[in-house]
Amino acid sequence: MSLSYAATVPRHLVHRRSPADVLLTDYETVDGTHRAAVQLPASHRMFAPVRRTHDSLLVAEALRQAISLFCHVNHGVPLDHVVFIEHSRFEILDPLSVDEIDDSLVAESITTDVTFDDASLDNMKLSAKLLNGDRLVAFGTASVRSLGPDVYSQFRTPSMADPHFRHLPAGTEVVEASAVGRLDPSDVVLARHTSDGTIVVAPDPRNLAMFDHSVEYLPGVTMLEAARQALRLATGTPTLDFTSCEVRFMGFAEWANPCSAIVDTDSTDGVHRIQFEHDGAVLSAVSVSATSEPWLATAERSSR
């Protein structure tokens, strides 16, 4: 069976409302390997290509959608369950040019371990790679839990976003867009306390490019964008993009309880660390390598 790029997969399988935000067009399983056809947009309101190179977070989102798809189609996860990615890592080996992809991008994944609790999926580990034709351009791993409605409610303090305004804690203001590589203030997901400079995550729910439907908590891609913007702000380099990223989610970041972003830029191994905390509890920890030259050839990036 050859994969088709003619139409998107059903949007509910990747938890997206708008068909324009569905990055997968077909799927199959061959000899235990799950394969999904990937089509990245040549332009995007939030994650636009830089110098005609696809944004790293679009690559991450394509892998996330593939994980969601395979969980529902191949592992029987009910559609009302949250596919909670506890730990994931991806690395971009070769920047994806918008000019070089012609219906040839495929996400391949194998399941390396599955555990069950009361006959339902409890934890799954996957290994994935992104192929452009025969060329390996990115790879990643993920550890996933399926959270049913009852278990999901135990993880959270519910707080829906009001879609009509951005929730800013008292004494904060939205960070300057140019400082985090953005043109539109609605694309900025960080705010700064005017008293001590503390950074908190405060995205704008009216940004439909990031929130194509109302969500009860801040999605993983929003937290990755917050990590990227926090790193850009801390280093004073608004053009930084990830070449690799490892993230652990220990809890959900809530709209009404903005978490703080703490950046460690004093790196001796080329890895920067960003941590998100609320009331002393760590919600997520991100370790990244980044470059301001996303168009570098593979050989030039071999030491990164």
Side-chain angles (χ1 to χ4, degrees):
M1 173 180 175
S2 60
L3 293 171
S4 170
Y5 294 82
T8 65
V9 301
R11 57 190 179 175
H12 59 273
L13 294 176
V14 296
H15 297 269
R16 283 290 174 261
R17 186 181 72 174
S18 171
D21 290 318
V22 178
L23 304 180
L24 308 183
T25 62
D26 198 5
Y27 58 91
E28 65 181 0
T29 298
V30 178
D31 297 331
T33 298
H34 311 312
R35 304 176 72 243
V38 179
Q39 192 168 64
L40 300 181
S43 63
H44 193 276
R45 163 68 178 76
M46 184 73 185
F47 303 121
V50 177
R51 294 178 179 85
R52 304 189 70 80
T53 297
H54 282 294
D55 190 295
S56 68
L57 294 191
L58 266 187
V59 175
E61 172 62 9
L63 292 174
R64 183 208 66 79
Q65 290 190 16
I67 289 170
S68 173
L69 173 78
F70 297 144
C71 281
H72 292 307
V73 172
N74 295 97
H75 296 284
V77 174
L79 291 174
D80 65 345
H81 282 43
V82 172
V83 179
F84 181 52
I85 302 178
E86 291 184 301
H87 173 249
S88 67
R89 181 178 185 274
F90 74 89
E91 182 171 348
I92 298 176
L93 302 176
D94 195 0
L96 280 169
S97 168
V98 297
D99 302 308
E100 295 179 359
I101 300 172
D102 183 20
D103 290 353
S104 60
L105 199 59
V106 174
E108 288 191 355
S109 175
I110 60 171
T111 304
T112 58
D113 187 39
V114 179
T115 58
F116 292 88
D117 181 16
D118 296 330
S120 63
L121 176 67
D122 180 60
N123 186 275
M124 179 171 59
K125 293 181 172 61
L126 305 99
S127 174
K129 56 186 178 181
L130 193 63
L131 299 167
N132 185 16
D134 295 328
R135 192 168 86 243
L136 177 64
V137 295
F139 70 89
T141 59
S143 179
V144 179
R145 290 187 65 187
S146 170
L147 303 181
D150 293 339
V151 175
Y152 166 70
S153 65
Q154 298 173 15
F155 272 73
R156 299 190 53 247
T157 303
S159 59
M160 285 294 290
D162 186 324
H164 300 99
F165 71 98
R166 186 197 301 253
H167 180 80
L168 290 174
T172 66
E173 59 185 15
V174 177
V175 167
E176 302 84 356
S178 60
V180 293
R182 292 298 179 185
L183 297 176
D184 190 332
S186 70
D187 292 342
V188 178
V189 300
L190 303 179
R192 179 193 290 111
H193 280 276
T194 56
S195 58
D196 59 8
T198 303
I199 299 298
V200 296
V201 182
D204 191 338
R206 296 166 297 185
N207 184 339
L208 298 183
M210 183 173 290
F211 306 107
D212 81 330
H213 62 286
S214 296
V215 288
E216 297 179 330
Y217 56 89
L218 301 187
V221 69
T222 303
M223 299 307 294
L224 290 181
E225 174 63 11
R228 182 164 63 176
Q229 291 189 18
L231 181 60
R232 288 172 171 176
L233 186 64
T235 60
T237 310
T239 57
L240 282 180
D241 194 15
F242 297 157
T243 56
S244 70
C245 177
E246 181 173 8
V247 58
R248 293 184 182 274
F249 291 106
M250 286 73 86
F252 293 93
E254 305 289 350
W255 283 95
N257 301 306
C259 57
S260 58
I262 303 166
V263 182
D264 178 11
T265 59
D266 186 17
S267 170
T268 58
D269 57 0
V271 176
H272 303 288
R273 294 168 178 83
I274 305 98
Q275 195 159 284
F276 297 100
E277 301 179 358
H278 177 69
D279 285 344
V282 178
L283 298 179
S284 58
V286 188
S287 300
V288 304
S289 58
T291 178
S292 59
E293 305 288 332
W295 61 93
L296 290 180
T298 304
E300 296 173 276
R301 294 174 51 192
S302 59
S303 62
R304 293 184 183 273

